[in-house]
Amino acid sequence: MLNRLTKLALGLAPPIALLASPAMAEIREHSLKFAAANNKGHPQVMGMEKFAELVKEKSGGKIEVKLFPGGVLGGDVQTVSALQGGVIEMTVLNAGILSSNIKQFGAVDLPFLFNSGEEADKIMDGAFGTGLMKLLPDTGLVGLAYWELGFRNLTNNRHAVTKLEDIKGLKIRTIQSPIPIELFNSLGANAVPLPYTELYTALETGTVDGQENPAANIVNAKFYEVQKYMTVTRHQYNPQIVLISKKFWDGLNDEEKAIFQSAATEARDYQRKVSREQDAKAMGEIKKTGMEVAELSPEETQKLRDAVKPLIDKFAAQIGADTVTQLFKELDAVRGK
């Protein structure tokens, strides 16, 4: 005891800082930009807000995530390039857009792939989605979690679409990804790939006749102001991916990486819940705006499915047979087949 008191008196005891929690001691101050295309109030942005809140809480206020929704830092394709260059640190966007960087990501854009959001969750959170994320670092990106945009539906300003033939000749804006472009061309439309940030103006000026997005997007972006007809096609489901720049990620220590990863996962569960609640609510809001909403009959839905089957075979070869086989194998397992 005397020896210990002597050491304390001489200042030889271990510094108090070294006795603190090693995790908290190693968290440094960071400020980063998190960009996305949708506007405030959209489930995508609500997920971003939850993520920023969680990161602040978990880091003891040392890490600040600044949000840039509404495409103010550019469209999705531009933002991915900015992440790769380390100009922007984070984004969240449709996972299929990454097919131009990694062909295997095209698998999630295949039409009529998932029957429900919950089914998609199991695939994207499981071995298939995890396997896709492992391909990202070589392209300067790191994936943290899969969120949800949801099931896409068709709108246009020319006439009601209640059957496959009604789609013929419509100029439809699609996301900048090969499968959606060919999907609408195969249905007889003229696909026009455009950044989401340019879509409202394109609809307003008649550059395109229509577009396809989940109901929550139609409400959030006020597409009902420039579109008269909606058809519930649910032709494609979009999982979104939360990305962080590898340049930024590589500069983080293990404790900081753990904060980002756990925040993205926690925000994922919140974001999906909000997305599904808003999708159901948005359908009612769209009808109140005066848009005509049509439901396809099972027979007409099957015609759409049949029309795009050649597309699935074509892109399966481009995506990679092993990737597509794994995807459908995991889907069968989820469905108990």
Side-chain angles (χ1 to χ4, degrees), residues 64-78:
E64 180 186 18
V65 180
K66 296 180 179 178
L67 305 183
F68 294 86
V72 293
L73 297 184
D76 289 330
V77 175
Q78 286 176 286

Side-chain angles (χ1 to χ4, degrees), residues 55-120:
V55 168
K56 183 177 181 180
E57 176 189 314
K58 291 173 184 289
S59 68
K62 289 188 176 181
I63 303 177
E64 180 186 18
V65 180
K66 296 180 179 178
L67 305 183
F68 294 86
V72 293
L73 297 184
D76 289 330
V77 175
Q78 286 176 286
T79 306
V80 169
S81 295
L83 254 71
Q84 291 169 316
V87 178
I88 298 171
E89 288 77 25
M90 290 189 68
T91 192
V92 55
L93 43 71
N94 291 340
I97 290 174
L98 295 175
S99 62
S100 59
N101 303 80
I102 299 168
K103 64 180 183 178
Q104 290 91 331
F105 269 93
V108 301
D109 267 350
L110 292 173
F112 299 106
L113 183 62
F114 298 116
N115 293 327
S116 68
E118 291 75 17
E119 187 177 87

Side-chain angles (χ1 to χ4, degrees), residues 43-64:
Q44 181 194 59
V45 182
M46 294 172 75
M48 294 167 67
E49 290 167 344
K50 173 63 76 172
F51 173 82
E53 174 189 312
L54 288 166
V55 168
K56 183 177 181 180
E57 176 189 314
K58 291 173 184 289
S59 68
K62 289 188 176 181
I63 303 177
E64 180 186 18

